């Protein structure tokens, strides 16, 4: 009986921590949602995965988002403050590639 309670407690804790980490990511200041569907093929090639593994969006720092979306960082920062924290990538970058790689590893492991 004690081991069942322990297992249930571990499962509950894991669920809570998963939700908490998603909430932190959504509310993290300075992070922007970037639609990477236009550059998914390039990212897949750069990181050596099948394009089907590339997510549609990722969260990156405002500076990275500004670079890959070809939008001034101050414009994105203003958008972020007003609740519109997103842009569409026109190019990729090593930082964006690494972010996607980390996200894929987190999803598949």
């Amino acid at each position: 009986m004690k081991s069942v309670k322990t297992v249930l407690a571990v499962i509950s804790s894991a669920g809570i921590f998963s939700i908490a980490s998603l909430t932190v990511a959504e509310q993290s200041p300075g992070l922007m949602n970037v639609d990477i569907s236009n550059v998914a093929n390039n990212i897949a090639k750069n990181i050596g995965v099948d394009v089907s593994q590339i997510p549609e969006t990722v969260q990156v720092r405002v500076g990275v988002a500004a670079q890959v979306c070809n939008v001034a960082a101050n414009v994105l920062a203003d958008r972020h403050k007003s609740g519109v924290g997103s842009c569409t990538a026109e190019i990729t970058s090593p930082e964006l590639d690494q972010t996607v790689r980390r996200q894929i590893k987190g999803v598949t492991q």
Side-chain angles (χ1 to χ4, degrees):
M1 185 68 168
K2 194 173 190 178
S3 64
V4 171
K5 287 182 182 179
T6 303
V7 169
L8 290 175
V10 169
I11 292 171
S12 296
S13 297
I16 289 169
F17 288 119
S18 296
I19 292 169
S21 65
L22 288 174
T23 303
V24 169
E26 289 174 3
Q27 297 174 352
S28 295
L31 289 181
M32 299 285 298
N33 291 321
V34 176
D35 178 336
I36 57 173
S37 57
N38 290 343
V39 294
N41 287 325
N42 295 340
I43 294 171
K45 186 183 210 180
N46 293 347
I47 65 173
V49 299
D50 188 82
V51 71
S52 65
Q53 292 182 278
I54 305 296
E56 286 187 32
T57 61
V58 293
Q59 288 190 330
V60 296
R61 293 177 292 110
V62 171
V64 174
Q67 178 187 10
V68 300
C69 295
N70 197 25
V71 178
N74 63 335
V75 171
L76 289 182
D78 288 344
R79 284 186 195 172
H80 185 58
K81 288 177 190 173
S82 67
V84 186
S86 65
C87 65
T88 301
E90 296 179 4
I91 61 171
T92 189
S93 71
E95 295 88 356
L96 182 60
D97 292 345
Q98 291 299 331
T99 299
V100 173
R101 177 180 287 145
R102 282 191 303 272
Q103 183 170 335
I104 290 170
K105 282 185 176 183
V107 171
T108 58
Q109 287 182 344

